[in-house]
Amino acid sequence: MKMEINGKTRTCGLIGNPVEHTLSPMIHNTLAKLLGHNLVYVPFPVDADKVAQAVEGADALQLLGLNVTVPYKSEVIGSLREIDELACSIGAVNTLVKTEGGYKGYNTDMEGLYRAMVSEGIRIGGEQILLLGAGGAARAVAYLCAVKGADKVYILNRTLSKAQTVAEEVNRTVGREVIVPMATEDYTKLPDGKYLAIQGTSVGLAPNTEEVVIADEAFYEKIHTGFDLIYNPWETKFMKLVMKHGGNAYNGLKMLLYQGIIAYELWNDVSVSEEDAQVVYKRLREQFI
Ligand code: NAP
């Protein structure tokens, strides 16, 4: 359906820095076209000291919704009128929805990852999980694994104190000792067994495609399934090493797709069909292969 920008067009967007390479406009503008909504989605680069002003300005301009990306997912919380309980527990917000008198903040990264894992047939319940990283994204992953019944989640991070903080917070919230913090170099002390490994650091992201957090190939013998949150490159070094040692490996493009779809659903109060989700996924995928 052809859509023209006119007096009734509603606007959504992305705030972050940088935003030049974002694929989010492709997700939302494709959905708007598929669903016949009069909506446009644009990226807005925001300087470090202007986050509160940007949210205030968006409210004054009555923008329907915003996504928030690196490095403002925690900082933006101070500018919200209301925050969803899950986003509050995670401590990071990636979606703002216009309400009367300001924005309500949500975290769709966690549910997006969950939908991506379900669509790939990856199970969390009862699993032994290795989580590489303890940054904003890894925090949501740790929370997801704990809530969905993982047996144990070993967080390996370069900075041990950050892994400890995430473990304390998530364990307290879910009321059981499910997260175990470790320094990355202690990976040889992991209990024997086969793990689901989730790569949640920024190591290996283009252009540094030959980098990996743990280079020791013996480590990859422990992994039956590897999920990298990175999707650029299409096959990360981490994924290649998992596959070389007999495991299945997935990248983060479906997580990106579903976090966007959930945001779109919140803004427009609709449910996006799996058929439409697949049309968007095909367009995203074409950017890589
Ligand atoms: P972040 O908050 O900046 O955290 C970065 C993490 O990477 C930290 O754990 C950091 O360890 C670790 N790290 C960075 N450089 C490292 C190095 N040289 N060696 C070892 N560890 C290193 O970033 P984030 O927001 O969590 O994002 C992490 C990744 O997830 C990014 O690549 C992002 O693109 C991806 N992501 C994907 C999606 C998706 O939809 N697919 C959504 C969100 C994020 P320290 O704590 O020691 O600094």
Side-chain angles (χ1 to χ4, degrees), residues 133-137 157-159 162 200-203 229-231 252 255-256:
N157 198 45
R158 175 178 63 178
T159 312
K162 284 202 207 164
T201 77
S202 43
V203 178
L229 301 197
I230 292 172
Y231 48 81
M255 173 180 174
L256 179 82

Side-chain angles (χ1 to χ4, degrees), residues 173-202:
T173 310
V174 299
R176 66 186 178 112
E177 292 298 302
V178 53
I179 314 281
V180 180
M182 293 173 75
T184 307
E185 62 269 22
D186 286 340
Y187 69 88
T188 51
K189 297 180 189 157
L190 283 164
D192 287 341
K194 284 279 195 181
Y195 293 83
L196 162 63
I198 302 170
Q199 202 302 110
T201 77
S202 43

Side-chain angles (χ1 to χ4, degrees), residues 14-282:
L14 169 73
I15 58 170
N17 199 348
V19 293
E20 286 79 9
H21 301 292
T22 178
L23 290 172
S24 290
M26 183 176 282
I27 297 177
H28 296 287
N29 292 319
T30 304
L31 284 171
K33 207 177 275 177
L34 285 170
L35 297 168
H37 290 157
N38 188 353
L39 179 154
V40 289
Y41 182 102
V42 261
F44 300 109
V46 172
D47 287 339
D49 56 345
K50 299 260 168 61
V51 179
Q53 265 174 277
V55 175
E56 220 172 279
D59 187 40
L61 293 170
Q62 302 195 16
L63 301 196
L64 178 63
L66 287 172
N67 281 137
V68 184
T69 189
V70 174
Y72 304 137
K73 288 184 185 182
S74 295
E75 187 184 339
V76 78
I77 292 174
S79 302
L80 302 176
R81 193 185 69 89
E82 204 184 331
I83 184 164
D84 170 67
E85 204 182 309
L86 175 67
C88 189
S89 303
I90 297 169
V93 159
N94 77 324
T95 301
L96 310 191
V97 179
K98 180 92 178 82
T99 62
E100 235 168 73
Y103 286 94
K104 179 168 180 182
Y106 294 83
N107 185 306
T108 70
D109 279 336
M110 181 181 132
E111 184 64 23
L113 174 61
Y114 183 60
R115 281 203 209 174
M117 286 183 144
V118 168
S119 93
E120 303 292 10
I122 301 170
R123 202 181 59 178
I124 294 176
E127 286 288 315
Q128 302 284 327
I129 299 177
L130 295 177
L131 171 57
L132 301 176
R139 212 183 177 85
V141 178
Y143 195 75
L144 173 71
C145 295
V147 168
K148 297 291 179 189
D151 185 33
K152 276 275 180 285
V153 181
Y154 298 90
I155 300 191
L156 301 174
N157 198 45
R158 175 178 63 178
T159 312
L160 175 60
S161 61
K162 284 202 207 164
Q164 285 167 333
T165 305
V166 175
E168 274 164 30
E169 285 178 14
V170 177
N171 288 341
R172 188 172 351 110
T173 310
V174 299
R176 66 186 178 112
E177 292 298 302
V178 53
I179 314 281
V180 180
M182 293 173 75
T184 307
E185 62 269 22
D186 286 340
Y187 69 88
T188 51
K189 297 180 189 157
L190 283 164
D192 287 341
K194 284 279 195 181
Y195 293 83
L196 162 63
I198 302 170
Q199 202 302 110
T201 77
S202 43
V203 178
L205 188 63
N208 304 312
T209 55
E210 283 311 303
E211 290 182 4
V212 70
V213 174
I214 298 173
D216 176 4
E217 295 220 4
F219 171 70
Y220 295 87
E221 287 293 327
K222 294 180 189 291
I223 299 173
H224 65 74
T225 303
F227 195 108
D228 202 325
L229 301 197
I230 292 172
Y231 48 81
N232 182 20
W234 183 254
E235 242 177 42
T236 63
K237 181 81 187 264
F238 168 80
M239 290 168 65
K240 285 183 180 149
L241 285 165
V242 169
M243 288 188 282
K244 185 176 171 192
H245 291 271
N248 296 317
Y250 304 88
N251 69 28
L253 194 66
K254 279 199 176 165
M255 173 180 174
L256 179 82
L257 168 76
Y258 286 111
Q259 64 73 32
I261 284 179
I262 298 163
Y264 193 93
E265 290 176 335
L266 286 168
W267 293 329
N268 294 288
D269 200 17
V270 292
S271 176
V272 174
S273 70
E274 197 43 41
E275 197 184 343
D276 285 341
Q278 287 313 314
V279 174
V280 180
Y281 184 65
K282 192 165 169 278

